[in-house]
């Protein structure tokens, strides 16, 4: 798995890692987390990891074993876990992103040693039994933003170390959806916003804003399945390489230019001075592979 591009890289380019299958994808996903963790703790004695919901938390399963396999001590007591977005439901609700992250990772093995006060959840006390209204959603987002700022200022020089993002078949990421007013939010002081009109239930959610995402040190998008092909085709320009070459870990790496102006929310996530990484399986990358002359 390659390191981030050099600081003079254009932010309209991305490193796209194509895994031959889901086993290779999970391995590459864990490798990125291990490398980012090691670098952050070496540099700043802390690791701030932001995790989105959907199917992504399931990929965290087995991460403890992956650290052990390469003889790296994760030093979990130095970790800080941040929610990229959250559905405004109780933690034990099936739709809760934090519930999914805990079930797949935080509640098992060595990861359970991450101090609870270093796992930033929403303020569940502000949820009402009869649902959520705008006032409650606004208060939850505001509280989360304040707590996040304190973590970033205190432990990570104002930036998330690694942000793990998924992307939907409509091109949304976090809880930022196509044609939503949040796409126009450029206030860097507003770290967290809320929405009340998610096109996917539940409607009330909190989400990191685009400026917050784009200020991260590293960003990794992850997606699998043929249903993601259309998004990949919309985000990236035709590859210039002539062949897909899978490496020893069954992962091929393409340096791809992104379409400008971006057409989808996920394509608006760009790093200043370095490249966003995308990790997808061969099914999601089917059309990219098809545009190349071959693979090996």
């Amino acid at each position: 798995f390659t390191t981030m591009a050099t600081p003079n890289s254009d932010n309209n380019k991305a490193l796209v890692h194509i895994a031959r299958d889901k086993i290779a994808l999970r391995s590459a996903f864990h490798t990125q987390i291990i490398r980012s963790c090691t670098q952050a703790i070496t540099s700043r004695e802390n690791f701030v990891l932001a995790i989105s919901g959907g199917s992504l938390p399931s990929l965290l399963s087995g991460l403890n074993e992956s650290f052990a396999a390469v003889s790296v001590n994760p030093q979990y007591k130095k970790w800080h876990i941040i929610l990229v977005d959250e559905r405004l439901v109780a933690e034990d609700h099936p739709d809760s992103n934090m519930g999914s992250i805990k079930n797949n990772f935080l509640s098992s093995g060595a990861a359970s040693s991450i101090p609870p006060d270093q796992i930033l959840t929403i303020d569940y006390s502000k949820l009402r039994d009869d649902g959520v209204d705008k006032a409650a959603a606004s208060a939850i987002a505001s509280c989360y933003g304040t707590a996040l700022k304190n973590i970033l200022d205190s432990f990570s020089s104002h930036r998330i170390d690694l942000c793990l993002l998924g992307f939907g078949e409509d091109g949304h990421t976090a809880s930022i959806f196509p044609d939503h007013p949040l796409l126009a939010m450029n206030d860097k002081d507003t770290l967290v916003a809320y929405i009340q009109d998610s096109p996917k239930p539940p409607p009330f959610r909190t989400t990191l804003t685009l400026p917050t995402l784009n200020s991260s040190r590293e960003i990794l998008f992850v997606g699998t399945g043929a249903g993601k092909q259309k998004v990949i085709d919309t985000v990236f320009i035709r590859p210039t390489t002539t062949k897909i070459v899978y490496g020893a870990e069954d992962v091929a790496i393409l340096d791809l230019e992104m379409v400008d102006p971006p057409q989808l929310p996920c394509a608006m996530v760009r790093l200043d001075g370095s490249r966003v990484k995308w990790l997808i399986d061969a099914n999601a990358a089917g059309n990219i592979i098809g545009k190349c002359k071959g693979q090996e």
Side-chain angles (χ1 to χ4, degrees), residues 33-49 75 78-79 155-156 159-162 217-218:
I33 296 173
I34 292 169
R35 290 185 176 179
S36 296
C37 166
T38 301
Q39 181 177 355
I41 291 176
T42 300
S43 300
R44 291 173 294 282
E45 286 294 321
N46 289 277
F47 179 44
V48 178
L49 177 66
Q75 303 184 68
K78 297 180 180 181
W79 287 40
F155 300 106
S156 190
R159 302 170 71 188
I160 294 167
D161 287 311
L162 175 62
R217 287 189 175 86
E218 294 183 281

Side-chain angles (χ1 to χ4, degrees), residues 64-81:
N64 294 315
E65 292 76 10
S66 293
F67 270 102
V70 293
S71 301
V72 173
N73 178 5
Q75 303 184 68
Y76 281 127
K77 292 188 182 297
K78 297 180 180 181
W79 287 40
H80 300 263
I81 302 297

Side-chain angles (χ1 to χ4, degrees), residues 19 26 54 59 73 100 117 146 163 188 201 247 254 277 286:
R26 184 185 296 270
L59 293 173
N73 178 5
S100 180
D117 62 353
T146 298
C163 189
K188 294 183 179 180
L254 296 180
K277 294 178 183 176

